[in-house]
Amino acid sequence: MTRLNPEQNAWMRGDDISALFKAFPDNTLRFVGGCVRNALMGVEVGDIDLASQLKPDDVASALKAAEIKYVPTGIEHGTITAVIDGKPFEITSLRKDVETDGRRAVVSFTQDWAEDAQRRDLTMNALYADFDGTVFDPTGQGLDDIKAMKFRFVGEADLRIKEDYLRILRYFRFLAWYGGAAKLDASALKACRENRSGLKKLSAERVWSEIKKILSAPDPSRAVHIMLTNEILEEVLPEASNAEGLSRMVKLERREAIKPDPLLRLMSMAAREPLQMALLCKRLKMSSKETQRLRAWSDSSVALDPHGENKEQLKSIYLGGKTVVIDRCRIRAAGEDDAIVSTRWMSLCDLAMGWTPPEFPLSGKDMKAAGVKSGPQMGKMLEALKALWIRSGFTADREKLLMALKLINR
Ligand code: ATP
Ligand code: MG
């Protein structure tokens, strides 16, 4: 019998978790999914998902009786999210999928843990643990597959993917995060490849959210490369399918202690081409913040010279914007074969990171005080003075600029 020792798994014994288990009748609530899988693999546990024999209404009543707040986040699929001290816990009633269309399922609830396991994606994600840590493996394959690092679908891969094409991307997400150099399950890979066109049926939000998770893995290069060679990458990221660019970025991150950043990684896989990037952002329905960053990167036309003088470089950072310059430098540094040039790009990046662009010392008020009438004329003069200030390497101070103003205002 496999057991997770709560003494060594602090996440099993938080006050929040204890309160949750107390709210449910004995043996009707179990840990499931990522937390059990990761604990058994010996890697960090992220969110904690739970499964319950109680039907959604009864889950709600149990939480209510225990005065635990909850939100019916996915009630039609049996998911209620309990919220304790602001922390969410997804509790899903045991269920089977009775009807599927490749995107979503019509479900019915069951009391049977084994039936619930059958509707989960991978064998290693269909493991349950009770409050004491006893692990249950209804498919009989999950524990062995974790030991062997075998990423395998529950049941027949082809059928399971046709029920929900997102499972293709989930497969690569788990491979990216935990797969290391693991040998691939041939039938899983074949089914992913053959069903790749089904990815088109999914909503943009689900696809983008999953892509971000893949790209957030410590090193997703291998998984992404396998997606490329199996023509799956092309299906979801036709505008950013340079897997080689990604491995170069990961190498740079390691060298320069840069935290994994899915957007930067996406840029490393794309050409700096405004139209393509605009299309990509739109198709995947990215947030306005994400779109803004990616498009600013692809649209930026300011010249950057890693060998330039400090003054010139500050000027381009000022004009280009800090974030854009940092992103552009990192992409260039990652793609550069010449180690010396690559280091130069990183120096420019460091300069941008460490520099706070100064505020232009004059305002409209100063102009008025000098007798300039508001309107286009004032705008033009301000622009001229600003250009002068930038050319000075931001050293021209208020006094000097006021003097210049007097001269041009004569
Ligand atoms: P993570 O550690 O990243 O949260 P996870 O395995 O817990 O990984 P979740 O998305 O939180 O993934 O889902 C929880 C569990 O629900 C999964 O482990 C899996 O058993 C099941 N699951 C989630 N999405 C699907 C899906 N599309 N098809 C089948 N099973 C799924
Ligand atoms: Mg989870």
Side-chain angles (χ1 to χ4, degrees):
M1 191 181 77
T2 305
R3 206 174 154 252
L4 285 172
N5 185 348
E7 312 258 295
Q8 291 158 5
N9 287 280
W11 59 273
M12 295 176 71
R13 283 295 179 270
D15 289 346
D16 36 22
I17 287 295
S18 303
L20 269 182
F21 274 87
K22 230 167 129 189
F24 283 73
D26 282 352
N27 304 318
T28 59
L29 186 69
R30 286 178 183 172
F31 297 108
V32 70
C35 56
V36 181
R37 178 197 66 224
N38 288 14
L40 289 166
M41 282 181 178
V43 303
E44 200 189 330
V45 168
D47 63 2
I48 298 174
D49 304 304
L50 299 127
S52 175
Q53 267 179 326
L54 302 192
K55 293 206 171 104
D57 288 345
D58 300 328
V59 170
S61 312
L63 292 171
K64 204 179 244 167
E67 296 181 3
I68 295 173
K69 270 193 235 141
Y70 62 89
V71 192
T73 40
I75 194 84
E76 70 280 19
H77 295 115
T79 303
I80 286 178
T81 302
V83 185
I84 306 178
D85 290 334
K87 207 174 150 191
F89 298 91
E90 279 197 358
I91 305 170
T92 305
S93 300
L94 303 191
R95 62 174 222 221
K96 52 184 179 178
D97 297 345
V98 285
E99 225 183 284
T100 52
D101 64 359
R103 305 150 55 105
R104 53 182 97 77
V106 177
V107 309
S108 77
F109 299 107
T110 167
Q111 301 270 7
D112 185 356
W113 300 94
E115 225 164 20
D116 184 72
Q118 289 304 313
R119 65 96 184 161
R120 295 186 180 267
D121 52 0
L122 304 188
T123 55
M124 61 173 68
N125 288 346
L127 291 165
Y128 305 74
D130 65 16
F131 188 63
D132 295 331
T134 303
V135 175
F136 302 89
D137 180 9
T139 69
Q141 296 176 318
L143 284 168
D144 289 343
D145 285 350
I146 282 196
K147 275 195 206 107
M149 272 296 156
K150 185 166 176 169
F151 296 78
R152 168 159 52 160
F153 287 93
V154 175
E156 208 184 315
D158 182 64
L159 292 178
R160 301 311 314 286
I161 289 174
K162 286 193 165 79
E163 290 169 1
D164 178 2
Y165 292 100
L166 193 75
R167 289 174 189 159
I168 297 175
L169 297 181
R170 287 179 57 89
Y171 176 81
F172 286 101
R173 161 164 46 125
F174 297 119
L175 197 66
W177 274 87
Y178 312 112
K183 202 169 152 278
L184 297 191
D185 178 54
S187 63
L189 188 61
K190 182 166 175 272
C192 286
R193 181 191 167 92
E194 287 176 352
N195 285 298
R196 65 190 182 279
S197 64
L199 287 164
K200 292 256 192 297
K201 294 192 184 165
L202 299 171
S203 73
E205 289 85 353
R206 285 182 91 199
V207 170
W208 175 226
S209 152
E210 206 55 46
I211 289 175
K212 270 191 286 192
K213 288 181 186 167
I214 295 174
L215 291 181
S216 300
D219 183 357
S221 313
R222 177 172 181 249
V224 169
H225 192 259
I226 298 169
M227 287 174 77
L228 173 78
T229 51
N230 286 280
E231 292 168 44
I232 294 162
L233 195 59
E234 180 68 25
E235 210 64 55
V236 284
L237 289 178
E239 305 88 350
S241 53
N242 177 5
E244 171 61 20
L246 174 65
S247 15
R248 282 167 168 264
M249 178 51 75
V250 173
K251 285 198 189 99
L252 180 81
E253 290 170 1
R254 300 256 151 111
R255 203 171 77 213
E256 301 282 342
I258 300 169
K259 269 207 287 217
D261 173 349
L263 288 190
L264 183 67
R265 286 171 167 187
L266 189 69
M267 293 177 216
S268 74
M269 298 166 67
R272 217 165 65 77
E273 216 280 290
L275 193 63
Q276 294 292 313
M277 193 45 82
L279 271 173
L280 179 63
C281 293
K282 188 149 187 253
R283 198 165 35 76
L284 292 180
K285 297 204 176 132
M286 293 184 190
S287 74
S288 53
K289 206 171 152 201
E290 292 163 343
T291 303
Q292 207 275 331
R293 177 161 168 218
L294 291 171
R295 294 198 55 181
W297 170 75
S298 67
D299 295 359
S300 167
S301 59
V302 72
L304 292 182
D305 180 4
H307 308 285
E309 274 180 46
N310 184 272
K311 210 160 121 177
E312 284 307 308
Q313 293 188 331
L314 291 182
K315 182 174 155 187
S316 43
I317 297 166
Y318 184 83
L319 295 174
K322 247 173 111 152
T323 311
V324 168
V325 172
I326 294 169
D327 286 341
R328 281 181 61 188
C329 287
R330 286 180 168 165
I331 303 290
R332 292 299 296 265
E336 179 58 59
D337 286 324
D338 185 326
I340 295 177
V341 181
S342 179
T343 310
R344 291 267 180 143
W345 279 111
M346 285 314 292
S347 305
L348 179 51
C349 178
D350 290 343
L351 184 68
M353 289 207 293
W355 186 58
T356 313
E359 291 249 9
F360 182 54
L362 298 188
S363 67
K365 248 193 196 158
D366 299 307
M367 309 295 281
K368 265 193 203 144
V372 184
K373 283 204 193 77
S374 37
Q377 182 65 12
M378 183 187 278
K380 264 191 201 147
M381 257 187 213
L382 263 175
E383 279 314 302
L385 290 166
K386 201 175 212 176
L388 192 94
W389 173 67
I390 294 171
R391 262 204 313 280
S392 77
F394 311 97
T395 59
D397 55 13
R398 213 180 128 73
E399 210 177 320
K400 278 199 189 124
L401 291 168
L402 285 172
M403 245 152 64
L405 171 59
K406 256 190 209 150
L407 285 173
I408 53 175
N409 195 28
R410 262 206 301 224

